[in-house]
Amino acid sequence: MSAMEVVKEDGRARLGSVRTAHGRVDTPVFMPVGTQGTVKAATHRDLREMGAQMILANAYHLYLRPGDRLIKEMGGIHRFSGWNGAMLTDSGGYQIFSLGVLREIKEEGVTFQSHIDGSKHFLTPERVTELQENIGADICMSFDECVPYPSSYEYTQASVDLTTRWAARCRDAKKHTDSLLFGIVQGGAFEALRRRSAADLMKIGFDGYAMGGFSVGEPKSVMWQMADIVLEYLPEEKPRYLMGVGFPEDILEGVKRGIDMFDCVIPTRHARNGSLFTATGRINIKHARYARDEQPVDSGCSCYTCRTYSRAYLRHLFVSHELTSYYLNTLHNLFFYTNFLERIRQSIADGTFREFYENFMSQWKGGD
Amino acid sequence: MSAMEVVKEDGRARLGSVRTAHGRVDTPVFMPVGTQGTVKAATHRDLREMGAQMILANAYHLYLRPGDRLIKEMGGIHRFSGWNGAMLTDSGGYQIFSLGVLREIKEEGVTFQSHIDGSKHFLTPERVTELQENIGADICMSFDECVPYPSSYEYTQASVDLTTRWAARCRDAKKHTDSLLFGIVQGGAFEALRRRSAADLMKIGFDGYAMGGFSVGEPKSVMWQMADIVLEYLPEEKPRYLMGVGFPEDILEGVKRGIDMFDCVIPTRHARNGSLFTATGRINIKHARYARDEQPVDSGCSCYTCRTYSRAYLRHLFVSHELTSYYLNTLHNLFFYTNFLERIRQSIADGTFREFYENFMSQWKGGD
């Protein structure tokens, strides 16, 4: 039985759900990012109240601290953290290859230094699969190499082939039957390599497919060009996940193409920088123009922050470096995202996705 | 009509309420500290849910940022911040005299440099009264000089007399009739000066009386010795406020002596340092001994943090420097304090305060 159920299509946009050991997750879905097993400046209660059904944690970070074996001893991440919704863990490939940590790649695996204390570690696809199972993720990701942009064709080709061999080893190493394993299509900005990566991963066979290696500095047009190519290969009956994307307009573009899953640090990281989402774009609450602004951040928003606090007060909290500022801003931005996805799903259900897309894009101004 | 209503006495401990423009506040009361107009890492919703009826803000901080005139323009602190419970503002004397800012004291007022940007300011008792009225505090405090411990008898005597003259000027400058003005008894560690300060303030007449200049490094025995002396002078029908105190055991000692109001940064500041209150004392959640501890912080506590999270997970959040850690820890510690005061009030209502006091003191171990 497939993990993906598609109940309605509107153009290529699809409405459905992914079945996990911690409940069905309505798709298209946005997963708030909880790198260290917690969504920064939010609580489980907040996430539940705003309707978040699945969050993302990072296996690399949890492996280093508090350790996957400790989490396993504690009964898994759900019991350890108290989060009873679905959880996906990224394998850590992106962190190890993109965050500037010292590392050495071999066929067998990768040696790297911890970003926390400089200690040396060696991770193989088998161990990365085991640590995600120890953590107790509902969806595990294959261990992939994520190449920087731009990279040469030769380097990218070798990397894609290594990623494919590692993906097959992850597949073989997977023991638990109550969690899903996704393959990650790589290939940088090269059409031929994206095709090769997608085709090879299909042959191995996964519970779902992700597109990785985006949001690393390439132009957006390149990302969509590559995504369109990869999407030709992805089967209807499996979830499709665009990793690390993105702004609301990017998510809408992705949904239009038939992508089901998204994650990004944007709503939470922007919140901590004072950048808040409204129906027409972002505002930065630190600006002096909001010092006497009695309006809520977004007059159409029903989140706790907008129901309770004025822009003027939120600005005061932000410029005063109050912890409450990060909390209230995060609550608002995550509510904006979960509500946005809710409206997207509703429009597909109603058969009005195209109209929703046009309306949103025509009024959306992006950043302030 | 007096602002204070005493409904029950048990020994010298008293149960009652202080009437403010934003509701009656049950006493004895602990006021969470929101220096900059917000209780650090908490929201209004949290404070309401745990039963906090009055919070404290600092006039000095709000004067510097965002400015008392801006708050007045915005309709006062309640409208500006969205907090609809009672609010007391400290005058800023303690900040100006104790926080190491450069200042020069004259009869007319005090010149000092802002701790934010080094800008020069001059504040008089009249202006400090006005700025608390602009802020819209329900309870305003007189502008006092707070002397360090130890100070000489001569210096302290001159300071007490200046504080008394300033208090009289605050009384004269007070315009609003819907807020209360409290006098602050000073006098350092000198019995004669505490008597002199108390007697002189009684002659001027205030809506309530505070004891200031404690928790500045003096032994606790000195504080209680001085407080006992001052309490002889304080009228039954006025609220009595021990400023900046303290740990649970200090509050219990104060209530036993007939004190009605307390404030302190301890629950919030300790929370941010990982020091959490339990029925028998504090634990520091960062200790390795909690890494696998599945219990809540306090098994008898019904706060959101204890209902949802294990010590092991809270330790992980703390050592990972997660913002959620500060939020959850603050929620717990403030809940501990509000619940502690609730139990104190109940014991006075039941006529079992003495028993409550003995029980608490016999099991309380303080810090870990």
Side-chain angles (χ1 to χ4, degrees), chain A residues 36-37 73 292 313 316 322, chain B residues 36-37 73 292 313 316 322:
Chain A
Q36 302 192 107
E73 264 181 66
R292 288 170 174 78
Y313 186 64
H316 168 61
E322 284 285 350
Chain B
Q36 302 191 105
E73 266 181 66
R292 288 169 173 79
Y313 186 64
H316 169 62
E322 284 286 349

Side-chain angles (χ1 to χ4, degrees), chain A residues 194-343:
Chain A
R194 287 279 171 185
R195 290 187 187 280
R196 179 179 178 131
S197 175
D200 288 348
L201 289 179
M202 296 310 127
K203 281 181 224 154
I204 302 169
F206 291 89
D207 301 313
Y209 297 93
M211 292 175 266
F214 293 127
S215 299
V216 292
E218 79 286 357
K220 237 165 227 184
S221 58
V222 168
M223 176 174 86
W224 292 124
Q225 194 192 330
M226 294 300 123
D228 284 340
I229 288 161
V230 173
L231 282 160
E232 295 171 18
Y233 292 80
L234 303 188
E236 291 286 326
E237 72 281 9
K238 298 283 174 77
R240 305 159 179 169
Y241 168 23
L242 183 57
M243 301 183 81
V245 173
F247 284 106
E249 62 270 31
D250 304 325
I251 290 173
L252 202 52
E253 282 293 350
V255 170
K256 197 175 92 176
R257 288 165 158 83
I259 296 168
D260 307 303
M261 298 167 58
F262 304 86
D263 79 282
C264 195
V265 296
I266 283 175
T268 40
R269 183 174 293 164
H270 277 240
R272 299 195 302 281
N273 292 326
S275 179
L276 304 178
F277 287 83
T278 77
T280 55
R282 294 186 302 286
I283 65 170
N284 200 309
I285 202 67
K286 79 175 165 218
H287 284 181
R289 77 178 74 127
Y290 303 120
R292 288 170 174 78
D293 192 335
E294 291 190 329
Q295 300 175 82
V297 172
D298 183 349
S299 56
C301 178
S302 61
C303 81
Y304 172 67
T305 303
C306 287
R307 290 199 321 270
T308 315
Y309 299 96
S310 66
R311 291 175 174 182
Y313 186 64
L314 291 172
R315 174 183 190 267
H316 168 61
L317 297 184
F318 186 78
V319 300
S320 302
H321 313 292
E322 284 285 350
L323 289 168
T324 307
S325 168
Y326 308 120
Y327 177 81
L328 293 174
N329 291 354
T330 298
L331 214 60
H332 170 76
N333 277 1
L334 283 178
F335 186 95
F336 179 93
Y337 265 69
T338 49
N339 183 253
F340 180 63
L341 271 288
E342 173 82 42
R343 286 157 61 217

Side-chain angles (χ1 to χ4, degrees), chain B residues 142-175:
Chain B
S142 299
F143 193 46
D144 59 333
E145 184 186 357
C146 185
V147 298
Y149 178 85
S151 289
S152 72
Y153 188 90
E154 291 65 34
Y155 184 87
T156 307
Q157 177 169 352
S159 169
V160 160
D161 290 344
L162 180 71
T163 288
T164 299
R165 291 192 298 275
W166 281 4
R169 286 167 58 188
C170 288
R171 176 82 282 172
D172 290 344
K174 186 79 168 39
K175 291 194 187 94

